[in-house]
Amino acid sequence: MKRIEISVLMSVYAKDNPLFLNESLESIFSQTVEAADVVLLEDGPLTDALYEIINGFSKKYDTLKVIPFPVNRGLGKTLNEGLSYCKYDIIARMDADDICKPNRFEVEYNWLKTHEDYDLVGAWIDEFIDDKYHVKSIRKVPASSEEIKLYAQHRCPVNHPTVMFRRSSVLAVGGYLTEYFPEDYFLWIRMLMNGSKFYNIQESLLWFRYSEDTVSKRGGWSYACDEVCIQLRMLKIGFISIPVFCENVVIRFITRILPLPIRKRLYKLIRKV
């Protein structure tokens, strides 16, 4: 199998499901091309079941590099430090509960290698609950860098678990700033403002595990306040105008504090296949 010079960056923590982690890692090592470097960050102590899965893959694949951290610090801080453990400049992100489609790495890598003026490539995702072949919805994101920059004024313009980026471009803007949530959204904004060019492949390259908790976690007063904070930051750095700021705050703040059943219905409408 052809081996490509990319690093895969994944973080796992104690609450992750061992079965989901197994599926996720299996999808990484079952690609049409082989990643030359896979970095798995243990964000704090894990469960015995998770260690068993990780040890099994470590014995089987010499490209897997496991980096343990003594305490749980959260995704943003862990990924920031994890960047330094990656061997290659081109890095593919992956979450511990999602599943790569078999051609994901090949498609994204080939795109970046033939578009050297681009710093990030992503793709759509198929959202599922129990069976990855029973897709409930598709999260589609725009293709061109111009469309992405406009879209980013209102919503996150790329699907984080699908991205393949150039580490040098991420570090050029300071990496993930963990005081702002969601960290990935604000990272993309800063990269776009720094002149980075993005592209989203117009097909799904990853199965995203959706659950009822997905929507519930994205609501409440705390999340709503985070939304206002990031909109203020976007306004201060000149990424959005005052009218766009007002529009975003009204829509996003109200959405986050709506009763959960209504939020779930809205989410289904937005994600409708």
Side-chain angles (χ1 to χ4, degrees), residues 47-194:
T47 63
D48 290 342
L50 287 170
Y51 284 129
E52 184 177 351
I53 297 294
I54 294 169
N55 290 338
F57 277 91
S58 294
K59 292 175 182 177
K60 192 174 180 181
Y61 299 101
D62 60 4
T63 54
L64 178 60
K65 183 164 52 185
V66 180
I67 310 297
F69 295 114
V71 293
N72 176 265
R73 298 175 301 170
L75 184 62
K77 290 181 179 178
T78 303
L79 291 180
N80 265 341
E81 189 160 342
L83 291 171
S84 64
Y85 289 97
C86 292
K87 185 177 180 180
Y88 300 103
D89 187 53
I90 295 180
I91 297 174
R93 270 285 293 119
M94 184 63 181
D95 284 337
D97 54 356
D98 299 327
I99 305 169
C100 287
K101 293 193 176 183
N103 64 335
R104 178 199 161 188
F105 293 167
E106 183 174 12
V107 171
E108 293 180 349
Y109 177 76
N110 287 342
W111 205 93
L112 276 183
K113 292 299 286 185
T114 55
H115 297 80
E116 295 192 358
D117 55 331
Y118 278 73
D119 298 302
L120 179 149
V121 63
W124 297 351
I125 55 176
D126 287 347
E127 296 180 323
F128 73 99
I129 295 179
D130 298 313
D131 184 347
K132 68 181 182 182
Y133 295 113
H134 291 161
V135 176
K136 297 295 183 182
S137 55
I138 301 173
R139 184 169 193 261
K140 299 180 178 181
V141 279
S144 72
S145 201
E146 294 75 17
E147 292 174 311
I148 287 170
K149 194 168 184 178
L150 184 62
Y151 188 90
Q153 293 183 14
H154 303 279
R155 298 175 63 186
C156 188
V158 296
N159 293 312
H160 194 190
T162 72
V163 301
M164 187 177 286
F165 54 63
R166 302 186 195 277
R167 173 174 53 189
S168 53
S169 301
V170 170
L171 294 178
V173 296
Y176 295 86
L177 297 186
T178 55
E179 65 267 36
Y180 302 109
F181 184 84
E183 302 98 336
D184 62 310
Y185 186 9
F186 197 52
L187 171 58
W188 315 142
I189 289 170
R190 288 180 289 116
M191 289 178 69
L192 288 168
M193 289 200 70
N194 198 45

Side-chain angles (χ1 to χ4, degrees), residues 1 25-33 61 100-103:
M1 183 186 295
L25 287 170
E26 193 63 55
S27 75
I28 290 174
F29 292 106
S30 302
Q31 291 286 298
T32 54
V33 293
Y61 299 101
C100 287
K101 293 193 176 183
N103 64 335

Side-chain angles (χ1 to χ4, degrees), residues 193 229-240 245:
M193 289 200 70
C229 288
I230 197 169
Q231 294 299 321
L232 275 171
R233 187 67 177 174
M234 289 163 64
L235 178 64
K236 287 179 180 178
I237 64 176
F239 189 71
I240 58 174
F245 167 78

Side-chain angles (χ1 to χ4, degrees), residues 246-260:
C246 295
E247 177 188 349
N248 286 350
V249 167
V250 170
I251 293 174
R252 299 176 76 89
F253 187 87
I254 291 176
T255 300
R256 299 305 180 190
I257 61 173
L258 285 172
L260 182 57

Side-chain angles (χ1 to χ4, degrees), residues 181 213-225 227 252-260 263:
F181 184 84
D213 290 339
T214 305
V215 180
S216 61
K217 289 177 180 177
R218 296 176 181 176
W221 286 99
S222 177
Y223 208 107
C225 290
E227 288 278 16
R252 299 176 76 89
F253 187 87
I254 291 176
T255 300
R256 299 305 180 190
I257 61 173
L258 285 172
L260 182 57
R263 287 209 316 277

